[in-house]
Amino acid sequence: MKNIILTAMLLLLATTMNAMEKKLIRISTDRTDLVLQVAENGRLYQSYLGEKLLHVSDLEALSWDVYAATDGSVSQRGWEVYSGSGNEDFFEPAVAITHNDGNPSTWLYYVSSTQQLVPGGMQTDITLRDDQYPVEVILHYVAYAKENVIKTWSEIRHQEKKPIQLSTYASTMLYFCRNAYYLTEFSGDWAKEAQMSSQQLQPGKKILDTKLGSRAAMHMQPFFMVGLDQPASERQGEVLMGTLGWTGNFRTTFEVDNVGNLRIIPAINPYASVYSLQPNDAFTTPEFIFTLSTEGAGQGSRNLHEWARRYQLKDGMEDRMTLLNNWENTYFNFDQAKLEDLMKEAKELGVDLFLLDDGWFGNKHPRNDDHAGLGDWEVNHQKLPGGIQALTKAAKEAGVKFGIWIEPEMVNPKSELFERHPDWAIHYPNRKTYYYRNQLVLDLSNPEVQDYVYGVVDKLLTENPEIAYFKWDCNSPITNIYSPYLKEQQGQLYIDHVRGVYNVMRRVKENHPDIPMMLCSGGGGRCDYEALKYFTEFWCSDNTDPVERLYIQWGFSHFFPTKAMCAHVTSWNKNASVKFRTDVASMCKLGFDIGLKEMSADELNYCRQAVTNWKRLKPAILEGTQYRLISPYESNHMAVNYVSASQDKAVLFAYDIHPRYQEKLVPVKLQGLDADKMYKVEEINLMPGTKSHLKEHGKIFSGDYLMKIGLNIFGTRSMQSRVVELTVQP
Ligand code: DGJ
C-alpha cells in the first residue's frame, strides 16, 4: 500500500513538474501554428490556431484564457483542447465517460508530451489524465510541414475495475474567435453526391452527420469548409478544410458559443453507440485531417491533394490504369463470348484494363439480378463455364489486363452463405427484416466473419494471380442494427463493425500490396481518408450524366486528388456528345462504360485519340497541381487547369453547360504557369474532321500573358467542351 502511495505521489510530482516545464506545445507546419498551453490549473488549452507566427517570442504572449465575456471580463473557462464532461464549460465536450461508480464527469490534466519525426511530418503525442479516475487520453497530432496539413486523433484508456461507458469520443476539438463563420457542406443523395451549399453559422449548434453504418456518406460527405470572417472563396481568404477518416457514422459539430467563438468537434457519431471500454483496452478515434489556408479553398485543396498522394492514399505516387467496365454495357446479362468482345473493344479503345462488374457469381442462387447470390463468390458456371481463368486468359489474348468486381461485406438472404450462416448477417432477432437493395450487411464485428470476408478476396487473388484490379462495392447501409455476435454489447456494433472492415482491408493490403483497388459504395458513398489508405481510387457517383458530373467532380475535387477520382464515359445523357462526355471524364481518372457499337466510327476514333492524349498528359492531370478556375455554381461554365511539377506542361479543361443567349464571355485566366516561360497553346480532343475555333490555337504566349489575360475558351452553345494542351517552348 505504501508503495502505491509513493508511486502515486511521485507520479503527481512528475506530472506537475512536466506541466510546469512544458507550458507551451507548438504544432506547426510551414504555414500554420496550433499552439497549446498548459494553464496554472494543470489543464491543456488551445491558445492559438492560425497563420504561422514568425517570432518564437510571440508565443509567450499567447494566453490560455482566450475566452472573454461581453463586458470584457475574463472567465475561468478557456479553450480546453479535449474538454471533458461535467466541468465548468457549458458547451459541447470532446469526451463523456460514465465511470464505474456512476460519476459522469471527466477532468483531464496534462501529464507529458513528446515529439518525434515521422514520414513527412512531426508527430506530437500528449498524455492527459483524470485526477480522480484512472483514465488517460493521449492526443496525437502529425503536422506535415510542406503540405500544410495536420492530422489528429485521440486514444482513450483506463484502469478502472470494470468497463467504463463512453458516450462521446471526439477525434479532436478546434476553436476560433472571428467575426463570422461560414460553413460549406457537401450534401446530396445517391447519384447526387457532394453538392455544395454554404451558410453563416449562428449561435448554437449545426451538426453534419450520418447514420449509415457501413459507409460515411450518401446524404452528407464527411468533409467541410469553414470560411473565417467571410464565406470560403477559391483564391483568397482564410478557410479551414477538414475531413474525418471514418467509413461509418460520423458527426461533426459546429458550435458558436455565447460570446461568438466557434468550436469544431469532429467525431464518430455516438448515435446508438454508448461504448463499453474494457480496462487497459484503447479506444482509438478516427483521424481528423485539416488544412488552414490563407489563400482560399483552391490552395487548401492543393495542400490536401499533395498530402494525400504522398502520405495517405494507397499507391498515391504510383500510376493509374484506364479501363473499360461492362456494368452499363451489359448489367447482369452477359456470358463469356460477350465479355470477350468487350475485352477486344477495350483494346481497340486503347485502355489498359477490362473490368468485369456485378453478376459473375452464384450457382444455386445465380446473380442474375440484385435479389440473389451475394455471399456466394463462386463463378456462375452457366454464364462463365471456363471460370475466371478463361477470362484472364481471354484478356491476355486481347492485350488488356483483367479486373473484377466484388461486394464481399454483403449477403443476399437468397444465398448459400445466408442458408449456412444466418447469424453472420446484421439483423433483428425479433422484428420484420427490412432491406436496402435486397441485401444485408455481414457482421464484421465478428472475427469469424472478418476471416470469411478476407478469405473471399484472398482466394480470388491466390487462385487467379492474373487479376490486376478490384472494384470493391458496398451497396447497402447497415439495416436492422443488431449483431447476433455482440449479444448484450450492441452499443459497440456500429464502431466494431467499421473496425472489422478495416481489419479485412488491412490484411488485403498487407498480403496483396500491389493490387490497385477502386472503392465504391453505390456511387460515391465511401471516399473517406481512412478507407483510402487501402484503396487507390474511388467511384464518385453512379450518375455519369456529364452535366451532373461537373458539379459532383467539382465538389469532390476540394478534398481529393484527381488520381483518386474515377470518372467513366457512359450513355447517360445522350443529348451530350461523346466528346463532351469524354472531356468531362478526362479531368479525373479516365474510364469507359459504354459499348463501342453505340458509337460512330468518328466517335470511336475520337475516344481512342482522347485516351492517347490523356495518357500523355498524366504528368499534369494525375501528378500535377490543380487550379479550379471557373465554378459551375457561379456561372454557366466550368474550367479547371492542371500544371505538371516542372511547369513545362499544362492542360486546360473548359465546359459550356447551358449558357444564356448572347451571354457576355470573358477570357479565362490560367493559374500555376511559369510567368517567364513561353507556352504553345493547342486545342486537342477535337472530333475527326473538325478544326479548332479557338482564337489562340497554335500560337505561343508567355505564362504571364496566359495568367493575366487568358484564353477565349468559352462559347455560347450548350454542352460544349474544349481541352487545351500547353507546352513550354525550348
Ligand atoms: C453500384 C455501383 O456504383 C455500380 O457502378 C455497379 O458496380 C453496381 N453497384 C453493381 O451492382
Side-chain angles (χ1 to χ4, degrees):
M1 185 65 183
K2 254 190 198 162
N3 276 350
I4 296 174
I5 295 172
L6 193 67
T7 318
M9 279 173 68
L10 283 173
L11 203 66
L12 192 68
L13 189 68
T15 305
T16 323
M17 278 176 61
N18 264 330
M20 303 301 278
E21 280 163 21
K22 272 219 136 152
K23 285 234 170 184
L24 285 175
I25 300 167
R26 187 179 193 186
I27 294 156
S28 314
T29 70
D30 287 351
R31 308 297 300 269
T32 303
D33 262 322
L34 170 62
V35 184
L36 313 180
Q37 192 172 0
V38 182
E40 291 77 9
N41 62 7
R43 284 157 61 183
L44 186 69
Y45 297 86
Q46 176 191 309
S47 48
Y48 182 76
L49 172 55
E51 199 171 353
K52 181 142 182 163
L53 300 169
L54 292 181
H55 308 291
V56 177
S57 55
D58 290 341
L59 298 179
E60 298 298 329
L62 295 169
S63 127
W64 69 272
D65 48 356
V66 195
Y67 166 81
T70 34
D71 63 2
S73 64
V74 171
S75 143
Q76 277 308 300
R77 173 156 72 85
W79 287 349
E80 192 163 11
V81 173
Y82 205 71
S83 180
S85 53
N87 61 17
E88 70 288 348
D89 183 300
F90 297 114
F91 295 87
E92 201 59 29
V95 61
I97 298 173
T98 304
H99 301 281
N100 283 188
D101 61 1
N103 190 316
S105 67
T106 297
W107 292 24
L108 295 167
Y109 292 81
Y110 174 83
V111 177
S112 62
S113 67
T114 56
Q115 289 195 315
Q116 56 168 323
L117 285 170
V118 293
M122 172 71 83
Q123 177 160 340
T124 305
D125 302 311
I126 306 168
T127 302
L128 309 174
R129 191 173 298 140
D130 193 301
D131 62 337
Q132 298 298 324
Y133 294 91
V135 170
E136 205 169 74
V137 172
I138 306 168
L139 309 177
H140 302 279
Y141 299 84
V142 180
Y144 296 86
K146 218 166 132 267
E147 295 77 17
N148 188 22
V149 167
I150 298 178
K151 160 164 125 170
T152 166
W153 70 102
S154 304
E155 246 178 282
I156 305 167
R157 298 170 184 276
H158 74 98
Q159 290 86 37
E160 295 194 23
K161 288 204 171 61
K162 288 187 285 174
I164 57 172
Q165 307 305 313
L166 304 179
S167 52
T168 298
Y169 22 75
S171 291
T172 194
M173 273 175 106
L174 300 176
Y175 300 84
F176 292 96
C177 171
R178 298 302 171 96
N179 285 318
Y181 316 95
Y182 297 85
L183 173 69
T184 301
E185 58 188 77
F186 298 76
S187 53
D189 208 332
W190 175 79
K192 205 173 182 293
E193 290 87 346
Q195 306 290 307
M196 295 169 67
S197 61
S198 300
Q199 60 185 274
Q200 184 172 359
L201 292 170
Q202 300 296 343
K205 279 191 273 192
K206 161 82 185 172
I207 287 174
L208 303 183
D209 74 341
T210 61
K211 305 185 185 76
L212 300 161
S214 61
R215 49 168 83 168
M218 180 151 74
H219 309 130
M220 179 66 68
Q221 295 291 340
F223 40 84
F224 64 86
M225 305 196 287
V226 175
L228 300 169
D229 289 321
Q230 59 174 34
S233 79
E234 193 60 28
R235 290 192 69 176
Q236 58 81 37
E238 220 174 338
V239 52
L240 177 88
M241 300 171 73
T243 179
L244 193 73
W246 184 246
T247 319
N249 303 347
F250 73 92
R251 182 181 79 177
T252 302
T253 306
F254 303 82
E255 187 170 29
V256 178
D257 68 15
N258 55 324
V259 290
N261 291 338
L262 170 69
R263 67 179 64 187
I264 301 175
I265 316 171
I268 294 178
N269 193 341
Y271 164 75
S273 300
V274 173
Y275 198 95
S276 188
L277 183 67
Q278 299 291 333
N280 298 313
D281 275 3
F283 182 98
T284 306
T285 73
E287 293 170 354
F288 175 66
I289 296 125
F290 69 94
T291 183
L292 186 62
S293 163
T294 51
E295 294 154 86
Q299 185 56 49
S301 297
R302 289 187 285 279
N303 296 344
L304 291 164
H305 297 169
E306 193 57 21
W307 165 81
R309 283 187 298 211
R310 286 189 182 280
Y311 306 112
Q312 194 86 355
L313 180 66
K314 177 173 156 62
D315 299 338
M317 302 298 280
E318 308 295 317
D319 199 5
R320 295 291 185 269
M321 286 187 280
T322 50
L323 59 81
L324 175 70
N325 192 356
N326 74 310
W327 177 239
E328 294 195 19
N329 260 304
T330 63
Y331 292 104
F332 297 97
N333 181 17
F334 56 80
D335 57 17
Q336 175 87 15
K338 247 193 203 178
L339 297 183
E340 283 185 12
D341 279 352
L342 287 171
M343 290 173 192
K344 288 177 198 143
E345 291 191 359
K347 183 66 186 172
E348 214 179 325
L349 256 179
V351 296
D352 304 305
L353 176 114
F354 170 73
L355 170 62
L356 171 59
D357 214 284
D358 197 353
W360 57 267
F361 49 90
N363 284 298
K364 182 173 172 194
H365 302 283
R367 180 78 172 164
N368 291 329
D369 57 36
D370 62 16
H371 285 78
L374 280 179
D376 301 347
W377 300 100
E378 297 293 336
V379 167
N380 178 295
H381 300 307
Q382 218 174 353
K383 281 185 192 173
L384 304 168
I388 293 177
Q389 263 182 350
L391 292 172
T392 54
K393 188 164 167 273
K396 206 174 200 169
E397 279 163 15
V400 289
K401 295 197 161 135
F402 178 80
I404 197 163
W405 177 97
I406 47 169
E407 192 179 3
E409 299 155 62
M410 302 284 159
V411 64
N412 283 123
K414 265 196 193 170
S415 68
E416 291 182 70
L417 181 68
F418 190 77
E419 285 163 4
R420 276 197 314 274
H421 296 289
D423 56 321
W424 281 9
I426 296 177
H427 66 296
Y428 295 128
N430 57 351
R431 290 183 195 279
K432 197 164 168 270
T433 306
Y434 63 100
Y435 297 96
Y436 192 99
R437 211 196 191 205
N438 317 302
Q439 62 197 57
L440 295 173
V441 180
L442 289 175
D443 181 3
L444 271 294
S445 71
N446 181 346
E448 213 186 336
V449 183
Q450 290 172 25
D451 285 347
Y452 162 79
V453 175
Y454 170 71
V456 168
V457 184
D458 185 52
K459 184 163 179 272
L460 274 170
L461 286 172
T462 313
E463 288 178 359
N464 307 284
E466 292 85 7
I467 291 181
Y469 186 87
F470 264 127
K471 174 178 177 182
W472 183 312
D473 212 338
C474 162
N475 282 297
S476 176
I478 296 183
T479 52
N480 316 281
I481 183 76
Y482 182 88
S483 157
Y485 170 76
L486 286 174
K487 301 195 175 75
E488 66 284 354
Q489 300 296 346
Q490 297 299 319
Q492 300 184 195
L493 178 52
Y494 275 128
I495 294 172
D496 286 354
H497 174 81
V498 177
R499 289 180 177 158
V501 172
Y502 292 147
N503 220 354
V504 174
M505 291 175 175
R506 195 175 305 120
R507 284 166 75 184
V508 172
K509 186 175 167 181
E510 272 165 19
N511 296 319
H512 304 281
D514 299 326
I515 182 119
M517 308 217 288
M518 183 206 290
L519 187 57
C520 177
S521 188
R526 267 185 169 179
C527 54
D528 61 88
Y529 268 124
E530 185 62 25
L532 286 172
K533 284 181 180 169
Y534 311 107
F535 287 80
T536 48
E537 54 221 61
F538 69 91
W539 182 229
C540 301
S541 178
D542 279 347
N543 191 337
T544 45
D545 173 334
V547 170
E548 291 305 321
R549 268 293 181 131
L550 284 177
Y551 292 87
I552 293 168
Q553 292 169 193
W554 181 268
F556 280 122
S557 78
H558 283 75
F559 287 84
F560 302 101
T562 313
K563 67 162 53 170
M565 292 168 51
C566 299
H568 297 174
V569 180
T570 73
S571 310
W572 281 52
N573 193 351
K574 286 195 175 139
N575 292 326
S577 65
V578 166
K579 170 174 164 54
F580 188 76
R581 287 181 249 161
T582 309
D583 289 353
V584 171
S586 293
M587 62 170 276
C588 292
K589 206 222 81 170
L590 178 63
F592 291 79
D593 196 349
I594 184 170
L596 300 198
K597 292 181 190 76
E598 275 185 47
M599 293 190 201
S600 68
D602 276 354
E603 285 170 339
L604 176 56
N605 281 336
Y606 164 82
C607 287
R608 287 162 54 91
Q609 188 57 50
V611 171
T612 309
N613 290 343
W614 188 87
K615 287 188 176 178
R616 189 182 65 254
L617 294 168
K618 278 196 258 182
I621 301 173
L622 294 191
E623 318 298 341
T625 312
Q626 185 190 61
Y627 298 87
R628 286 185 298 263
L629 306 175
I630 304 292
S631 165
Y633 285 92
E634 290 161 12
S635 72
N636 301 317
H637 310 268
M638 196 267 226
V640 60
N641 82 269
Y642 299 86
V643 183
S644 68
S646 62
Q647 290 176 301
D648 283 1
K649 199 49 116 178
V651 196
L652 167 66
F653 291 96
Y655 311 93
D656 304 318
I657 306 174
H658 297 299
R660 302 286 305 276
Y661 173 69
Q662 285 199 348
E663 183 181 306
K664 181 172 165 55
L665 299 172
V666 294
V668 172
K669 297 172 187 165
L670 280 79
Q671 291 180 43
L673 304 174
D674 183 331
D676 297 323
K677 285 184 176 162
M678 301 302 291
Y679 293 86
K680 181 158 190 194
V681 170
E682 286 166 297
E683 183 173 356
I684 58 169
N685 283 17
L686 289 162
M687 280 298 283
T690 62
K691 283 200 191 111
S692 172
H693 296 294
L694 182 67
K695 213 171 92 191
E696 298 89 348
H697 176 68
K699 297 186 183 149
I700 295 172
F701 301 90
S702 71
D704 193 46
Y705 177 100
L706 294 165
M707 292 192 290
K708 289 184 179 156
I709 297 164
L711 297 176
N712 291 285
I713 195 77
F714 289 138
T716 50
R717 285 167 51 219
S718 274
M719 294 188 289
Q720 302 297 311
S721 52
R722 255 147 260 112
V723 182
V724 174
E725 179 172 357
L726 298 108
T727 312
V728 157
Q729 298 305 288

